[in-house]
Amino acid sequence: GMGCFQTRGSCHSEKQEGDISRDNIEYMFGIVGIPVTEIAIAAQAAGIKYVGMRNEQAACYAASAVGYLTGRPGVCLAVSGPGFLHTLGGMANATINSLIVIGGSSDRNQETMGAFQEFPQVEAGRLYNKLSVRPSSLEVIPAVIEKAVRTSMYGRPGSCYIDIPGDFVNLQVNKSSVKYVECCLPPPITMAEHSAVSKAASVIALSKQPLLIIGKGAAYSHAENNIRKLVDLCGLPFLPTPMAKGVVPDNHPNCVAAARSTALLHADVIILLGARLNWILHFGLPPRYQQDVKVIQIDICAEELGNNVRPAATLLGDINAVTKQLLEEFNKRSWKYPSNSEWWKRLREKIKNNEERSKELALQKSLPMNYYTVFHHIREMIPKDCILVSEGANTMDIGRTMLPNLYPRQRLDAGTFGTMGVGLGFAIAAAMVAKDRTPGKQVVCIEGDSAFGFSGMEVETICRYNLPILIIVVNNNGIYTGLDADSWEEMLKFGDPATCVPPVSLLPNAHYEKIMSAFGGKGYFVKTPEELQNALKASVADRQTPSLINVMINPQSERKKQEFPWLTRSNL
């Protein structure tokens, strides 16, 4: 109506959500309640797809995955107080995903009085977000939304928080006083300075044992075509970080992922393409690297350059654009790393040994199965182009080495922050995006049994929206390791489980597949390779129905012996 918004919530449908949809936002995930229910209804009216989740944490993980998959932020909608607090995990996890969180908050006239779910949300949000702000009036909401969308995407992507007081939802405003703004432009593309590019090329051309490390930033910037050209033109060995798998296909002859430790330890020049020297890459320091390794850093974030090492060259800019600069430079130089070098011989030998050890484990016939056997069968049966979501400890680590990715941005996992509980939210986001952009594509979500427990109730969300998701729970009755049913029974004879059961144990033979069948999906309980093959065949064939395969493995199954114990070390 009549130039101002008379009905409860209509101010949002015309302004706030109208503005979000104008900013090319397609997906909103959340849980409604006081005071934000009308915002979700208005979002749907504006053409945004709203997915109602069962926990704000999972909703926030889903929204952040949309940013990574599409390059435009997803939105998470939460109620005040506890609802807002549950989104903090997703904000903190969104270190390279554009994300907008909209939180309802208490009415402004009750602040400091102990209002319903009162909490200092804007201040709390500052620690986790690039921008944390409350619009000062209804009139400025469009401008604030535009700034949040822009901030979340420009530079290194991240999370932004917008606080909407409960009393805003009922307020009326004159339409003519609303400050409408246009959607922001796509992020500007920056390039490295020419001198840095030629310096980097010179360092690479003089290398004896070069290694290219492809990071998540390369996947985010859609640099796959140029990076593939660079790998082929220069003949460089490359190693992807977990979520960069597929930027260059894992089956490319230059991929040295199966000789990761050797490649890192003996490289004399390392080129980092949108990868950070954090714990995932052991900080770039000895004993995992040579003391005098030369590092070339390519990153969109200036503050990242020089972290933990003194780089031989720093190339600040968009990964795709800078890779193109390097390509042009090497086209002029016509330099190619020889494929018959000692370095390549050493890497290929290590790859062969490691692959044989994995294969040996995969072909073990003993029951219950081990991780390698399970992943061997999963690899054989799932579609080559499916989106893989994975979380857990051994489940994620072994799955990463055994399941190839041939396409970019089709692996989502616990990432830099090592967050457990992301799996189902990520899978829901991936399925929503796939339904719109690549119909027929399946999402395969591989969960450790402990990891599944963090967001297991999202199975209901998956069934409610009938999403093409196959969940595989690799079930070892515990966290890292568990007990078999007999040992569990023995343990219980010693007294109260709280005093005598190992803290890593979960209930043996838990029937997680029944959670799926409870909501109308298909559940499978699997103990042998044959049962696993049959369940996989049925699930992959029926993409109309969500399914969950609960795979029982040996509770004591472990990773093959690692040269470096690294983070999985334990003092026990």
Side-chain angles (χ1 to χ4, degrees):
M2 312 274 295
C4 64
F5 310 109
Q6 280 140 355
T7 55
R8 181 173 165 82
S10 68
C11 57
H12 286 97
S13 60
E14 294 228 14
K15 291 204 314 302
Q16 188 176 331
E17 263 56 51
D19 206 72
I20 289 191
S21 59
R22 220 190 354 261
D23 273 306
N24 294 345
I25 303 298
E26 297 175 74
Y27 307 97
M28 181 183 279
F29 304 84
I31 299 179
V32 296
I34 296 167
V36 299
T37 308
E38 294 83 359
I39 297 181
I41 296 166
Q44 284 180 319
I48 294 169
K49 293 187 168 154
Y50 176 79
V51 178
M53 306 280 283
R54 301 305 302 265
N55 183 315
E56 290 89 0
Q57 232 171 0
C60 207
Y61 297 142
S64 72
V66 164
Y68 176 71
L69 293 166
T70 68
R72 306 275 325 171
V75 177
C76 174
L77 179 68
V79 299
S80 42
F84 163 82
L85 283 168
H86 289 167
T87 67
L88 295 185
M91 294 172 181
N93 196 57
T95 46
I96 188 144
N97 312 332
S98 41
L99 163 70
I100 308 285
V101 179
I102 297 175
S105 57
S106 326
D107 290 5
R108 289 169 303 167
N109 62 355
Q110 297 174 353
E111 266 176 23
T112 72
M113 294 171 67
F116 176 63
Q117 298 186 332
E118 185 178 340
F119 190 76
Q121 291 170 198
V122 177
E123 293 90 314
R126 281 203 186 104
L127 268 178
Y128 307 89
N129 294 279
K130 290 176 78 178
L131 175 74
S132 183
V133 62
R134 168 189 286 185
S136 56
S137 67
L138 289 186
E139 286 83 349
V140 300
I141 284 179
V144 169
I145 297 268
E146 186 275 340
K147 183 176 169 81
V149 170
R150 178 163 40 89
T151 304
S152 79
M153 294 191 307
Y154 280 30
R156 181 192 279 173
S159 172
C160 294
Y161 174 64
I162 301 169
D163 195 66
I164 301 292
D167 53 306
F168 269 25
V169 181
N170 303 324
L171 275 185
Q172 298 183 1
V173 64
N174 194 321
K175 196 170 181 178
S176 59
S177 65
V178 175
K179 295 187 176 73
Y180 288 106
V181 286
E182 274 185 63
C183 173
C184 64
L185 296 166
I189 289 173
T190 50
M191 286 154 90
E193 48 199 326
H194 286 296
S195 58
V197 176
S198 69
K199 175 159 194 212
S202 302
V203 172
I204 295 166
L206 290 171
S207 65
K208 300 270 182 292
Q209 298 178 172
L211 177 65
L212 180 64
I213 299 180
I214 303 170
K216 186 164 55 175
Y220 193 93
S221 78
H222 290 251
E224 51 271 12
N225 293 340
N226 282 324
I227 292 176
R228 284 175 203 190
K229 282 182 197 159
L230 184 70
V231 167
D232 292 333
L233 179 70
C234 297
L236 294 167
F238 74 89
L239 183 67
T241 63
M243 274 173 63
K245 276 161 63 72
V247 169
V248 182
D250 281 343
N251 62 3
H252 189 287
N254 289 31
C255 179
V256 296
R260 183 180 190 268
S261 295
T262 303
L264 296 178
L265 182 56
H266 298 290
D268 65 350
V269 170
I270 286 178
I271 306 110
L272 292 173
L273 273 173
R276 296 174 269 196
L277 285 179
N278 54 23
W279 66 275
I280 291 182
L281 289 173
H282 322 290
F283 314 109
L285 299 173
R288 302 302 302 263
Y289 292 79
Q290 293 296 308
Q291 182 75 51
D292 56 355
V293 62
K294 291 188 165 74
V295 176
I296 295 165
Q297 272 184 298
I298 305 170
D299 208 287
I300 195 166
C301 174
E303 289 81 356
E304 196 57 51
L305 301 171
N307 269 349
N308 299 324
V309 298
R310 189 176 175 86
T314 55
L315 286 72
L316 175 66
D318 172 77
I319 305 298
N320 189 36
V322 175
T323 306
K324 196 159 184 245
Q325 288 179 285
L326 278 170
L327 262 177
E328 284 161 8
E329 186 71 28
F330 279 114
N331 271 323
K332 280 189 282 199
R333 295 181 184 227
S334 68
W335 172 84
K336 185 162 189 174
Y337 185 69
S339 59
N340 59 354
S341 64
E342 282 303 308
W343 180 226
W344 262 124
K345 270 185 216 145
R346 183 174 192 171
L347 290 169
R348 287 197 190 105
E349 194 176 319
K350 190 69 188 170
I351 287 170
K352 199 165 141 258
N353 290 346
N354 279 346
E355 283 176 347
E356 279 168 7
R357 276 165 64 207
S358 292
K359 199 170 174 184
E360 237 170 82
L361 287 162
L363 298 176
Q364 278 180 5
K365 290 280 184 276
S366 54
L367 290 177
M369 293 179 281
N370 68 41
Y371 284 104
Y372 293 86
T373 310
V374 169
F375 284 121
H376 168 75
H377 290 293
I378 292 173
R379 182 174 62 202
E380 300 302 301
M381 308 283 295
I382 61 175
K384 295 273 172 279
D385 69 339
C386 70
I387 298 174
L388 279 173
V389 180
S390 182
E391 63 172 335
N394 286 327
T395 299
M396 185 169 73
D397 292 339
I398 300 168
R400 182 173 58 242
T401 61
M402 298 234 1
L403 300 175
N405 284 83
L406 305 182
Y407 303 96
R409 294 169 298 282
Q410 296 206 353
R411 178 187 166 82
L412 295 162
D413 66 21
T416 315
F417 207 32
T419 312
M420 290 300 115
V422 292
L424 275 72
F426 280 2
I428 288 167
M432 289 296 294
V433 172
K435 256 174 51 167
D436 290 344
R437 302 190 176 206
T438 47
K441 195 184 279 291
Q442 201 164 20
V443 178
V444 178
C445 177
I446 303 174
E447 300 273 304
D449 50 332
S450 165
F452 176 71
F454 283 82
S455 300
M457 198 45 77
E458 298 303 334
V459 169
E460 186 273 328
T461 311
I462 291 169
C463 291
R464 185 169 7 119
Y465 294 100
N466 200 31
L467 298 174
I469 296 173
L470 161 59
I471 299 170
I472 302 171
V473 177
V474 182
N475 189 348
N476 68 347
N477 303 339
I479 303 172
Y480 307 120
T481 57
L483 297 172
D484 59 50
D486 295 343
S487 314
W488 178 263
E489 288 305 320
E490 283 302 304
M491 281 276 177
L492 295 183
K493 291 179 184 166
F494 293 108
D496 183 340
T499 57
C500 62
V501 164
V504 292
S505 302
L506 296 169
L507 189 68
N509 300 328
H511 281 267
Y512 296 113
E513 78 287 350
K514 290 189 174 167
I515 298 178
M516 180 61 86
S517 46
F519 299 118
K522 291 205 171 121
Y524 304 87
F525 184 73
V526 160
K527 286 186 155 173
T528 66
E530 296 69 41
E531 291 171 354
L532 177 57
Q533 283 170 321
N534 292 337
L536 283 165
K537 202 177 276 172
S539 310
V540 170
D542 178 9
R543 301 197 182 184
Q544 303 314 305
T545 318
S547 40
L548 190 156
I549 305 174
N550 183 15
V551 189
M552 300 311 301
I553 65 163
N554 186 336
Q556 298 300 312
S557 179
E558 292 272 7
R559 276 181 94 173
K560 66 180 165 50
K561 192 167 174 351
Q562 302 294 301
E563 289 169 60
F564 290 90
W566 189 45
L567 272 181
T568 43
R569 66 181 182 263
S570 168
N571 298 324
L572 297 178

